[in-house]
Amino acid sequence: VMKQRVEYIDLSKGVCIILVVFYHVCGLLGCSFWLSPFLNSFFLSLFFVLSGLFFNDGGSFRHFLLKKTNGLLVPLFSFYLLGSVLLPNLLHYVFGVHFGTSVGWESLWAFVWPGEYPNIPIWFLWCLFVMNVMFWGVRAVVEQFSSSCSLFAMFLLCCAICVSGYGLKDTLGFDVGNVFEAMKAMPYFC
């Protein structure tokens, strides 16, 4: 059975993709646009909302994890290995091109440390994976204890996770592997 696409959702995703590309191109070129602060606060939030709308637990955690690994982690690590490890190391060691991020063995795990993320646009895939796993846990906990107001309880728990993300980032002063960013975006996903 073929699932019918929802055109306005696809259109929303397309607009978000265009805004993300526009934002990153402007950042690379050093230009500013009078709507930049609004766009910066808008497109990522909308991506998280759209992702949360289509959350599907897949029946079991194993099936869910396999689906999210194939859909998010495989593309993340493929693009990361190609664009952040192989290509920069090849250009650095063969052609002498210098980068502002890690090269050598350190580039394999640079995505974990703040300020070292070599391929900035793909952080979103990891963040979305972490959010999906956290939301699966939130949903499982809430369904275990509450049946009457589970949506409200899930939202409250996601808000508590969000506040914890802000607190942990402020306490540590940095975000390891964008986990705190994922925590901060949980209410949007919910």
Side-chain angles (χ1 to χ4, degrees), residues 12 14-15 47 50 55 98 125 139 169 171:
S12 299
V15 168
F47 261 131
L50 292 171
F55 178 83
H98 297 284
L125 294 172
R139 190 169 160 185
K169 188 170 183 179
T171 301

Side-chain angles (χ1 to χ4, degrees), residues 102-118:
S102 299
V103 290
W105 289 107
E106 294 84 24
S107 63
L108 286 172
W109 53 83
F111 70 93
V112 174
W113 303 111
E116 294 294 322
Y117 211 101

Side-chain angles (χ1 to χ4, degrees), residues 33-55:
F33 183 62
W34 64 275
L35 279 176
S36 291
F38 171 73
L39 294 177
N40 187 25
S41 66
F42 174 78
F43 63 82
L44 282 178
S45 303
L46 183 57
F47 261 131
F48 291 133
V49 168
L50 292 171
S51 298
L53 277 175
F54 296 101
F55 178 83

Side-chain angles (χ1 to χ4, degrees), residues 16-33 36 39-40 43 120-121:
C16 282
I17 291 168
I18 290 168
L19 291 174
V20 167
V21 170
F22 178 76
Y23 174 77
H24 285 291
V25 167
C26 280
L28 287 172
L29 297 176
C31 63
S32 64
F33 183 62
S36 291
L39 294 177
N40 187 25
F43 63 82
I120 294 169

Side-chain angles (χ1 to χ4, degrees), residues 72-86 88 119 122 125:
L72 296 170
L73 292 186
V74 168
L76 167 71
F77 289 116
S78 298
F79 284 114
Y80 183 78
L81 286 174
L82 179 64
S84 303
V85 178
L86 295 175
N119 192 347
I122 64 171
L125 294 172

